[in-house]
Amino acid sequence: MSGSVWKKPEEVMKQMREKKKALQARFSHATTTTIANSYDNDETLPLRSATASTKRKNPFRRSPAKRPKLVAVTQDDQRTINCDLVSMLNAPNTVKVDNNKEQIMELPQALSIFAAVTPVCQKLDQYAVDWSLKTRVRFTSKTPFAFSSTLKTSEEASGITGFVRCVNSLNSDEWSTLDTSTNAQFHQCCLLWQYPWLPWLSLFPRDTRTPITSTGSVQIGMDSNVSNCLVNDWCESFRSLFGLLRARQCPFFYVCTHQFTVLFRAAGIGGVAEIHALLTPTTRGLRDLLRKEDISYSMPLKKSGQDQQNCTMNNDEDDEIRDADKIDDLGDEDCDEDDTDWINDIGLHSNLRSKLEAERLQDGGQGTSQGTYSDSLLLIEGVETQGLFNWLLNSKLCLSNTGPLTGIPPTLFSPVAFHQATLRPLKARQGFLKQDGENLYSVEIQGPILPHSMVSLMKLLQSGDFTAVCSALSSTKPFASFQSPTAATSAFGKESLSDCGLDRASLDLFCSSQFPQFANEIRFQDGCFHFN
């Protein structure tokens, strides 16, 4: 071969590296020459080049001084903490503790790192009754539930029969043909009695601020005859339900108005020896009206240091109010006559003042002496409960004057049947959900969930671990916080309530005097209930 020389691969790579170095040297020489020429033309260019070569600061960078500093616990600090703990344990108990007051203990400086507030989880061996009205409950479990929301004909029939007749098919001593499957029991847990029931209106929760969706919707208040018929039937239902409560054949029932909710409980329920009622929320105007009707009450959840806890009206207060009324009447007699004449001259109705007074009492935000629902809870006991019943039966404040619920009487909820009542099922939906990357089985129940339904559902689900997340009506949460100071479980109270419609195991829970605070989450794990 002429004109070509064989080269080894090492020689070829060496030649290429030499060419690359020569090319880089040529480029660097050309750059140096260009910068030197530019220095002669502009003296400020070196400053600009230096500024450009410096990295620009990030204007959104966080200052190191604002970063949280982590305190490292050294071995000396650990020894100090241990010594403080030992000294606290070995210290003699010389401080007298008052049972009615909370003892405040200051932590040593070394223990300040442990002073963070952690949520308290209450643990109980059995489910405790929660008296708040639930709007929604979701049960979740890692294992499939033993029941299904899709029912057979026999399962639905057995569930309805067992609930209406107050029969527990599993604990019945007599022979029965009722279906004892878990589906039938689940359907029996999701039933309640209600009056009134109007399918085109939402009667729970009662919110008069809800706008009317369509102009063609029917309003009961527009027709006085229809409204009067509903109110008359409601009065009969209310009398029937209260009679069952006094005879201890109904353990409890709820009266839900657009302003407040009343919980009536029979004697022996909650460890209270007498028939009693709880009313919440209340305003100053409503409490004044109850005083004028000679209805004595107490406010057990009012915080100490504000006013007297017992709001019962005594004779001295009556005399002071009468004297003040006489002075006001003497001073304003002429003004009242002028106002009355002026109202008559312009042609307004004579009961204008009563309507204005009703609007003042309906105002829950203004004129209330207590800032929260729990502070304004009222307890009416004994014979005063009859006075509250008569006032609810005849008062016009229980009827809304505006909104889609105008002229509709309050809603009654009960676990036992009464006159004019409608049997209502709760809405149940089964499905799956993913939480923290884990697939869970879920059952969601919607509607006015009464305490007896929650107790029955908790018993039905105890075959496996589960978690229940509850959503309650905010105005009824004080019912769960109330606990009578004189409450005590009585064997005689349980025996007198044997025909109230609750089975023996559930009756023991309802007659218990110990109730936990309201819990949004309930976990059943290892045979125990955890309330968070």
Side-chain angles (χ1 to χ4, degrees), residues 14-215:
K14 183 178 179 180
Q15 187 178 2
M16 292 179 63
R17 284 195 293 270
E18 291 176 355
K19 290 182 179 180
K20 186 176 180 181
K21 289 181 181 179
L23 184 62
Q24 289 178 353
R26 201 163 45 222
F27 272 115
S28 60
H29 178 70
T31 305
T32 305
T33 305
T34 305
I35 294 175
N37 295 334
S38 62
Y39 283 170
D40 298 337
N41 299 330
D42 192 357
E43 296 179 356
T44 62
L45 186 60
L47 296 176
R48 293 179 182 178
S49 302
T51 305
S53 61
T54 305
K55 185 178 180 181
R56 179 173 174 269
K57 288 186 178 182
N58 183 8
F60 303 102
R61 187 174 65 90
R62 187 177 180 180
S63 175
K66 296 182 180 180
R67 295 179 181 177
K69 295 182 179 180
L70 299 178
V71 180
V73 181
T74 61
Q75 294 182 357
D76 296 336
D77 295 337
Q78 186 67 28
R79 294 193 194 98
T80 306
I81 292 172
N82 295 335
C83 293
D84 291 336
L85 288 174
V86 173
S87 60
M88 289 174 63
L89 293 175
N90 296 333
N93 188 11
T94 58
V95 182
K96 294 183 180 180
V97 180
D98 190 359
N99 294 329
N100 298 327
K101 296 182 180 180
E102 296 181 358
Q103 184 183 11
I104 301 176
M105 180 181 295
E106 295 184 359
L107 293 175
Q109 186 176 3
L111 299 179
S112 60
I113 59 176
F114 301 109
V117 178
T118 56
V120 179
C121 179
Q122 190 172 2
K123 181 180 178 181
L124 297 175
D125 294 335
Q126 59 183 358
Y127 178 73
V129 180
D130 186 353
W131 290 100
S132 60
L133 279 174
K134 306 292 188 301
T135 58
R136 179 179 300 178
V137 177
R138 175 180 290 176
F139 298 95
T140 57
S141 176
K142 297 180 181 179
T143 58
F145 293 102
F147 54 84
S148 174
S149 57
T150 304
L151 303 175
K152 299 178 182 179
T153 304
S154 60
E155 295 170 346
E156 182 178 356
S158 298
I160 294 174
T161 303
F163 179 76
V164 172
R165 298 180 183 177
C166 301
V167 175
N168 190 347
S169 58
L170 295 179
N171 299 332
S172 179
D173 297 333
E174 299 179 359
W175 178 81
S176 176
T177 59
L178 296 179
D179 193 339
T180 59
S181 63
T182 54
N183 287 354
Q185 298 177 43
F186 176 71
H187 185 59
Q188 184 174 349
C189 298
C190 299
L191 295 174
L192 76 155
W193 296 96
Q194 174 183 342
Y195 183 85
W197 163 245
L198 304 175
W200 62 93
L201 291 177
S202 176
L203 298 178
F204 179 83
R206 298 177 67 98
D207 190 1
T208 58
R209 296 169 297 179
T210 304
I212 302 175
T213 55
S214 61
T215 57

Side-chain angles (χ1 to χ4, degrees), residues 308 311-319 322:
Q308 292 182 356
C311 298
T312 305
M313 192 173 187
N314 52 27
N315 296 330
D316 296 337
E317 293 176 349
D318 291 339
D319 296 337
R322 291 193 190 98

Side-chain angles (χ1 to χ4, degrees), residues 228-292:
N228 292 335
C229 290
L230 274 176
V231 172
N232 293 335
D233 287 347
W234 180 84
C235 292
E236 184 180 351
S237 300
F238 192 26
R239 289 192 188 97
S240 171
L241 201 50
F242 189 72
L244 290 171
L245 189 78
R246 292 183 59 185
R248 300 188 180 184
Q249 295 181 11
C250 174
F252 62 90
F253 68 90
Y254 290 83
V255 181
C256 300
T257 71
H258 62 288
Q259 300 183 73
F260 51 83
T261 304
V262 187
L263 168 61
F264 285 89
R265 300 198 299 190
I269 297 296
V272 183
E274 295 181 313
I275 183 175
H276 56 284
L278 301 174
L279 191 151
T280 183
T282 61
T283 61
R284 184 185 295 111
L286 180 59
R287 293 192 290 270
D288 292 341
L289 184 59
L290 293 177
R291 291 194 189 101
K292 293 179 181 178

